[in-house]
Every structure is written in structure tokens, then in C-alpha cells.
Amino acid sequence: MSSLTEARVSEVRAFNRFYTKVIGVLQAGLLDSPYSLTEVRVLFEIAHAGELETGELRALLDVDAGYLSRILARFENDGLVARRRSPHDARKQLVRLSPVGAATFDQLEKQAAGEIAVLLAGLTEEDQGRLVGGMTLIRRLLGDPAAAGREPYVIRSPRAGDLGWVVQRHGALYAEEYGWGLAFEQTVAGICAAWSPERDAGWIVEVDGERVGCVFCVRRDEETAQLRMLLVEPSARGLGIGQRLVGECLRHAREQGFKRMMLWTRDGLVSARRIYQAAGFALESEEKGEENGLMVTEQIWSREL
């Protein structure tokens, strides 16, 4: 084992020790109940399935048959489960929660949700996003089927602090990639200043709690909405975020009764132009311009809704 692998193994084990302590796995009874983590998990699987064949339950949890049998026997003694022979195969046994078991599980669920809510309450909104995003990433990387189908990003409405980030990232990113200067950043700042959360709409994209993209939909006139300030960080490109954001703008504009959507862009923004074309926009007009001493071609694209 290489030194790098040893260090990573050590970090994973340190995380496991820390998190099991945080959620109380090592306590004699989970959630102040007389039941262990494994026993509560057995209740969870039965509750969500309604009724399970014991072999299926054993496969779901990957536990020893004898151990599972002892757990179910304890549950029967406590009045939490009922067992019966399968009508299709007398060799198989079906298990379900009794009314007492269902009530016990509901109480454990409420207590678990309450404890997690307290844990999250100690974090800022931004840190909560980072925490949940990191957990989803862990599940996806380690092959959890329930996480594999999820989008690797979160889309939300703008909140305090986001408009400053929009201005800063437009200024820094377009200066780095295209050589545009302070005048462009000032333009974006003006657009943000004119944006109204009561009248207009906007979306911020996060990956693992970090902002990586944005777009805004503003009222141009009674019939026309304008798509503005589409941005996707280089680290998040290739995830389909740009297409998704443009789609959100179009959906919102239709719901608000607009008949047409337009946008302003420049010919050098090739990736953005491909997204607009794929969404049904067509070039309406263009003219030469200048940005930070560089020649650019200003373009207006539009489409009917």
C-alpha cells in the first residue's frame, strides 16, 4: 500500500469514527430506544416494504441469517412484528409490522428527523448546502443506486449574497477567458441592480454547496421576457447545467404569459450560442462593438414562446 493510499484510508476511517459519534451509532440504544442501529434498520426496511420475505430482508441488509432471526424473535416478543408463511412457498416466511411496531417506527422516524434538524440548525444555509451536497456525492461515488440517478447539482432561487457573487464571477471569468474588463463587470452590476425579485426570476446552481452557475429572466415589455447573465463555472461545465438553466427561463416565461423571449450575447461565446440554438433561439440581429479595446460582435437572439 502506497503512502498516498494509506493517508486516504486513514482519512476515511477518521471520518467514519467522527460521524458515527455525531449520529450516536455507538450508543447502546439508537435514538434513546432499546434498539440498536441494525434493529432500527430492520424496522425501516419492513415499514417501507409493507411486508417482506425474510430472505429478501436478509439480502437487503447483508446480515447473518441467525442474527436476523434473533432480531425478529425479539421484535415478536415486543409485539412489533407479525410473521406468516408465504402462500406461494410454505418454506418462506413473510414479516410485517404490527400496529404497535408501526407506531414505534413512526416515533423513531420523528425523533431521527428532529435530531438531524437540530444538527443542521447549527450551520449556515451555505454550509447546510455543502454538507448535503457532500453526502450526496459520497453516496453517488460509492454506488448508491438511489443517489446515482440524481442530478449532481441543486438549482435554487437567489438569496442574500448571490447578486454580489454573480457580478464578481462574471467580471473575473470573462476577463480571464475573453479579456473583457471593468466596463463589462459594471454592466453586469447594473443588470443586477435593476433586477427585481418581485417582478423577475432568477436561478442559482450549486454543486456540493458551492455556487457554480446562474441565469436570470427579466421583463423586457408586456410580451417579451429577456434571458440575462447565464454563467456556468468551468468546473461545472459538461453537466448540462446551461441547458437546464435556459429551460427554466423558458418555462417561467411561458407560465408568466410572455409571447417571446430574447437575449443579448456576443459571437465569441460559442458554447452559450450552441445552447441557445438547441433551445430554439435564432439570430435576430448583430452589430460590431468593442470591449476593453477588443473588437466584438454584439448579437440579439430570440424565439417565440
Side-chain angles (χ1 to χ4, degrees):
M1 186 183 295
S2 69
S3 58
L4 179 60
T5 300
E6 287 179 354
R8 288 172 175 169
V9 168
S10 178
E11 282 298 316
V12 171
R13 296 186 67 192
F15 171 81
N16 289 342
R17 289 192 297 270
F18 170 76
Y19 192 62
T20 51
K21 181 178 179 181
V22 167
I23 62 175
V25 170
L26 302 181
Q27 298 172 2
L30 190 68
L31 300 169
D32 297 323
S33 75
Y35 304 111
S36 69
L37 173 64
T38 303
E39 289 171 328
V40 171
R41 180 66 188 279
V42 170
L43 288 175
F44 175 89
E45 297 296 348
I46 298 172
H48 283 264
E51 189 172 56
L52 268 177
E53 195 267 312
T54 53
E56 294 176 333
L57 182 58
R58 187 172 67 251
L60 274 173
L61 299 173
D62 192 24
V63 296
D64 176 75
Y67 182 34
L68 178 61
S69 180
R70 291 191 294 273
I71 291 174
L72 293 177
R74 180 188 181 186
F75 285 170
E76 271 192 313
N77 289 336
D78 291 348
L80 303 185
V81 301
R83 287 191 275 187
R84 67 185 181 96
R85 292 292 176 186
S86 169
H88 306 294
D89 188 339
R91 295 169 299 177
K92 295 182 179 180
Q93 199 173 66
L94 301 174
V95 59
R96 58 178 173 80
L97 295 186
S98 68
V100 173
T104 299
F105 175 73
D106 287 344
Q107 180 57 39
L108 290 172
E109 281 282 273
K110 290 177 183 176
Q111 189 168 343
E115 291 189 4
I116 296 300
V118 170
L119 180 68
L120 291 174
L123 303 175
T124 65
E125 281 283 330
E126 189 173 355
D127 285 343
Q128 287 182 23
R130 288 195 183 101
L131 178 67
V132 174
M135 288 176 165
T136 302
L137 179 62
I138 289 172
R139 292 169 57 202
R140 192 166 63 247
L141 290 176
L142 296 182
D144 183 355
R150 293 188 177 186
E151 292 176 329
Y153 55 84
V154 173
I155 297 181
R156 60 169 177 80
S157 299
R159 55 179 180 241
D162 286 332
L163 295 182
W165 173 84
V166 170
V167 174
Q168 187 272 330
R169 288 311 297 153
H170 272 80
L173 192 59
Y174 284 96
E176 178 183 341
E177 295 189 340
Y178 299 99
W180 301 349
L182 284 173
F184 176 72
E185 188 170 348
Q186 289 174 315
T187 297
V188 176
I191 297 170
C192 284
W195 180 78
S196 168
E198 289 78 26
R199 182 192 62 226
D200 306 317
W203 296 267
I204 301 294
V205 184
E206 293 182 350
V207 171
D208 302 334
E210 298 289 340
R211 288 172 292 212
V212 299
C214 63
V215 76
F216 294 81
C217 182
V218 305
R219 181 184 183 277
R220 183 78 176 185
D221 57 42
E222 290 187 359
E223 294 193 346
T224 307
Q226 183 171 1
L227 183 153
R228 309 217 72 170
M229 299 184 295
L230 175 66
L231 178 142
V232 179
E233 292 280 4
S235 62
R237 291 169 187 169
L239 299 177
I241 291 174
Q243 294 93 325
R244 174 69 185 279
L245 288 174
V246 171
E248 289 293 328
C249 277
L250 291 169
R251 176 190 58 77
H252 172 79
R254 292 190 188 100
E255 290 177 353
Q256 295 302 306
F258 289 105
K259 306 300 183 185
R260 175 176 175 271
M261 175 169 278
M262 54 85 63
L263 61 91
W264 166 79
T265 187
R266 287 172 172 165
D267 66 336
L269 305 180
V270 177
S271 295
R273 186 171 69 244
R274 289 173 180 156
I275 293 172
Y276 301 144
Q277 288 176 309
F281 286 87
L283 179 63
E284 182 177 302
S285 65
E286 61 181 4
E287 62 181 29
K288 296 297 181 182
E290 183 180 328
E291 183 69 63
N292 200 32
L294 300 171
M295 297 303 298
V296 295
T297 301
E298 316 279 5
Q299 296 181 331
I300 300 296
W301 291 66
S302 64
R303 60 156 292 170
E304 300 300 315
L305 297 175

